[in-house]
Amino acid sequence: MIKLSKRLQQIADLVPNGARLADIGSDHALLPVHLAERGMIAFAVAGEVNEGPLRAASKQVCEAGLTERIDVRLGDGLAVIRPGEVDVITIAGMGGALIVSILSAGLPKLEGVRTLILQPNVGEEAVRRWLVDHGWFLAKEHILEEDGKIYEILTAMRVPNAEKANVELYAPRQLAPSVTASPDRLLQMGPYLLEQASDTFIHKWLLELEKMERICAQLALSEAEASRRKEAELREYIAETEDILTCLQKAKR
């Protein structure tokens, strides 16, 4: 049986039992094969846009004896599925901008889909904003570290009154008398992740602060007015982020 990485195992654990799954950018079809071997899914489409990964996925499915349960298809994004064919879609290991592009281009294919499980490598904020803009409710968030990389996994669902639910989810959060996590901040950092404030989450944002400090140092070398303004904006952002992290760490103690 297929053994998954920590990241893929977390995604597998989020797939509802009996799902009709489309795994977009399936690579070696590890996720659908793992789930099918354990009887966790009714059917799966493993989609790939490139011939090489498609062949690897087909070989994996064939060797597992799952050709009747997993259909490996060549195509760009959601072009590999038909409207109403699946009820769960997983897209993992891509940038947030690409995930948003795939979802936007395939909007008609989301008919009948109840759950999206999305794991952007970067650009998580763009994915959260797309979900809000298109009437999806972010139901869960997970964060984990594997092999020196930090991953966020976003699970979104179709729910009644999604617009109202999203307003409540991203409502400003008072962390201290002078510190508020704004809706924009919650979209950037993740509403559930901020609330949980796990060690991995804190570590991620400390690393982000280090990156921003390096950018500020580079901007400081320039005499251009635009660089001055950008540095000032970043300094303000850094200070706000530090205040939020300080509040979260105090709350944990």
Side-chain angles (χ1 to χ4, degrees), residues 221-237:
L221 299 176
S222 171
E223 296 181 0
E225 182 61 28
S227 296
R228 298 278 69 74
R229 289 196 300 271
K230 182 63 176 176
E231 183 185 358
E233 290 171 5
L234 267 181
R235 289 292 177 196
E236 183 178 354
Y237 184 85

Side-chain angles (χ1 to χ4, degrees), residues 68-181:
E68 293 185 2
R69 299 272 302 282
I70 302 173
D71 196 0
V72 182
R73 300 177 187 172
L74 182 67
D76 190 2
L78 302 187
V80 297
I81 59 174
R82 297 182 294 276
E85 185 177 18
V86 302
D87 55 15
V88 178
I89 292 175
T90 52
I91 309 178
M94 307 177 193
L98 180 53
I99 290 176
V100 164
S101 175
I102 288 171
L103 293 171
S104 296
L107 278 176
K109 304 299 183 73
L110 296 178
E111 178 186 331
V113 175
R114 305 302 306 167
T115 305
L116 298 174
I117 303 171
L118 311 171
Q119 183 267 295
N121 288 342
V122 294
E124 298 88 355
E125 177 185 353
V127 177
R128 291 188 186 97
R129 289 188 183 277
W130 187 92
L131 293 171
V132 170
D133 291 343
H134 291 82
W136 288 83
F137 177 68
L138 183 64
K140 301 175 188 175
E141 293 180 307
H142 294 80
I143 188 168
L144 60 93
E145 186 168 2
E146 183 175 34
D147 298 332
K149 296 181 180 179
I150 296 176
Y151 302 100
E152 293 182 13
I153 303 169
L154 315 180
T155 302
M157 303 184 74
R158 296 279 198 194
V159 300
N161 302 314
E163 184 176 353
K164 180 182 177 183
N166 278 321
V167 169
E168 293 174 356
L169 179 62
Y170 292 104
R173 300 189 189 182
Q174 195 78 32
L175 304 178
S178 60
V179 180
T180 300

Side-chain angles (χ1 to χ4, degrees), residues 124 128 143 150 152 185 188-190 193 199-212 237 241 245:
E124 298 88 355
R128 291 188 186 97
I143 188 168
I150 296 176
E152 293 182 13
R185 279 297 189 162
Q188 292 164 358
M189 302 179 85
L193 298 180
D199 291 344
T200 304
F201 173 83
I202 297 295
H203 179 51
K204 171 184 175 167
W205 282 96
L206 290 175
L207 291 175
E208 290 296 320
L209 286 174
E210 289 179 7
K211 291 178 189 176
M212 286 184 273
Y237 184 85
T241 305
L245 294 181

Side-chain angles (χ1 to χ4, degrees), residues 21-82:
L21 173 71
D23 185 37
I24 306 302
S26 196
D27 198 6
H28 286 66
L30 296 178
L31 180 65
V33 167
H34 170 88
L35 290 167
E37 285 180 333
R38 288 156 179 79
M40 301 296 291
I41 54 175
F43 165 77
V45 174
E48 256 306 333
V49 71
N50 295 313
E51 290 281 0
L54 182 86
R55 287 193 295 271
S58 296
K59 180 181 178 184
Q60 187 82 256
V61 170
C62 185
E63 289 178 350
L66 292 168
T67 53
E68 293 185 2
R69 299 272 302 282
I70 302 173
D71 196 0
V72 182
R73 300 177 187 172
L74 182 67
D76 190 2
L78 302 187
V80 297
I81 59 174
R82 297 182 294 276

